[in-house]
Amino acid sequence: MYDLKIYSSYIVAAIKDKIVFFSTDGAVLHAITVEQKAPVKDTDAGNEPNGNQTQPTPANVVTFEYCPTAKLLAVSLSDKTWRRYQLREEDGGKLCSAPLGEDITTARTIVSMKFVPKHGVLFGTDKSDCFEFGALDKTSEPQPKWILGHMSQILALAVSDDERFIVTSDRDEKIKISSYPDCHNIECFCLGHTEYVGGIEIIPSEKLISVSGDRTLRLWDVTEGKELCKLSLKEPALDFTVQKVAEGSGMLCAVRSYVQNMVEVALVSYDKPDASDLYDPLTIDESLIILNAGLSASLRLMLLTMEKESKRVRMLVYEFCAEKRAFKVCDDHPFVKNFEDQFKDVTIEQVRDYSTLFKHTIDNLTEYFERKKIKMESKKSK
């Protein structure tokens, strides 16, 4: 279990049961270790404790979300619970934190989160449903309220800046734009992808960027569901991170590829869609697997990676060079060393399997029906 996110003031990384806040320059500000549940005492047939203790499965971080205005961290755990931490700034810029309230239990694991501060809530999605939690209400326990669902697996979640729209995408190629808080009112669908839609981001001028397993990056008009631009990627896309460039209407996109050591790079223009363009991809050493990527406001790219042989985690940092339209490595960046110090010898036992997201089709229906006919005849003969 792992995640990496970049906010305006912090870089936050989580691996297994540890969450670390770094400054945008890479300095360590605070570390949180998820408190595990106490062992459960076994009982014999007469329901009397027999002295043995059952160790519960460790609750590791699945994902998290930070709300800068409330200084609140929401963390989803692998034991189908999520919890809140209240953060506070100390002298010298360091942070401290304290758990807020009790753990909240959900029917299924929450896999993506977005704070909606104007409404004082948190959106969280599990495999196929989206829920609303009153996470910013510190006086009560935020129980889940169902607000919308999909017929297939939800892969990404986005919220418009004015909090009027919730955007969700799924394994069945759909991007759904729902009104909020009247989520039963579907504004439109963005249709056109032919494989799963792994990443979506709302950008200025009511535009939306999406990436998909169909090897395309697309720009949409959120209000109409109209496709404005399509770029052909070299490989299927898993997800992406995006930031606005300093000048003009360009959005720099770093697209995490299905090829485990590659990030594809694109500049999307939301005012002049036809000016959007693909740059040369960034390819790292084949001995590494890219687990997650984050792009800062200064166009600094952070790659959370894993060594294939040792399974150890590593952080790579790159600076974007506008003249060369490419990322260049920063081996001496403080974030690299500080990350290593915080997660020294930490390993990832299992990497997420994205192959299951692709549709499996039967290419030769004639052959399929022939096999089915033979199978049915053999059953009759018995």
Side-chain angles (χ1 to χ4, degrees), residues 165 167 173-178 186-193 205-208 210 218-229:
F165 303 114
V167 186
E173 314 116 32
K174 293 190 300 298
I175 301 172
K176 181 163 72 172
I177 315 293
S178 304
I186 300 174
E187 288 290 320
C188 61
F189 286 93
C190 299
L191 302 176
H193 284 297
S205 299
E206 296 187 323
K207 302 297 193 302
L208 172 77
S210 64
R218 305 187 191 218
L219 177 68
W220 309 84
D221 184 315
V222 172
T223 58
E224 298 180 4
K226 179 182 178 182
E227 183 182 303
L228 304 175
C229 167

Side-chain angles (χ1 to χ4, degrees), residues 187-343:
E187 288 290 320
C188 61
F189 286 93
C190 299
L191 302 176
H193 284 297
T194 56
E195 276 288 355
Y196 67 85
V197 183
I200 49 175
E201 289 288 346
I202 295 178
I203 61 174
S205 299
E206 296 187 323
K207 302 297 193 302
L208 172 77
I209 300 175
S210 64
V211 297
S212 167
D214 64 7
R215 305 187 186 202
T216 64
L217 179 152
R218 305 187 191 218
L219 177 68
W220 309 84
D221 184 315
V222 172
T223 58
E224 298 180 4
K226 179 182 178 182
E227 183 182 303
L228 304 175
C229 167
K230 180 172 72 172
L231 298 177
S232 296
L233 303 171
K234 294 180 180 295
E235 300 293 340
L238 299 179
D239 53 36
F240 72 108
T241 177
V242 61
Q243 284 288 349
K244 192 179 187 306
V245 298
E247 299 178 359
S249 62
M251 303 295 296
L252 185 66
C253 302
V255 183
R256 195 159 62 95
S257 173
Y258 188 72
V259 176
Q260 294 179 324
N261 66 328
M262 186 168 76
V263 172
E264 300 204 49
V265 185
L267 183 70
V268 177
S269 174
Y270 52 82
D271 282 347
K272 299 178 180 178
D274 292 340
S276 301
D277 195 13
L278 282 174
Y279 296 166
D280 290 336
L282 168 66
T283 303
I284 66 173
D285 193 283
E286 290 185 354
S287 65
L288 300 174
I289 295 174
I290 299 173
L291 303 176
N292 216 325
L295 192 60
S296 71
S298 60
L299 304 186
R300 186 175 292 136
L301 180 65
M302 283 75 169
L303 297 182
L304 174 61
T305 70
M306 181 192 80
E307 297 173 351
K308 286 184 180 180
E309 288 192 10
S310 67
K311 308 291 186 183
R312 289 177 62 250
V313 293
R314 282 178 56 187
M315 184 60 65
L316 304 180
V317 177
Y318 295 82
E319 297 278 359
F320 183 71
C321 178
E323 292 182 359
K324 295 184 178 180
R325 308 201 314 176
F327 285 100
K328 60 179 182 179
V329 68
C330 301
D331 290 326
D332 58 349
H333 195 280
F335 184 40
V336 175
K337 182 181 184 304
N338 290 334
F339 176 89
E340 185 177 351
D341 291 342
Q342 290 295 313
F343 296 101

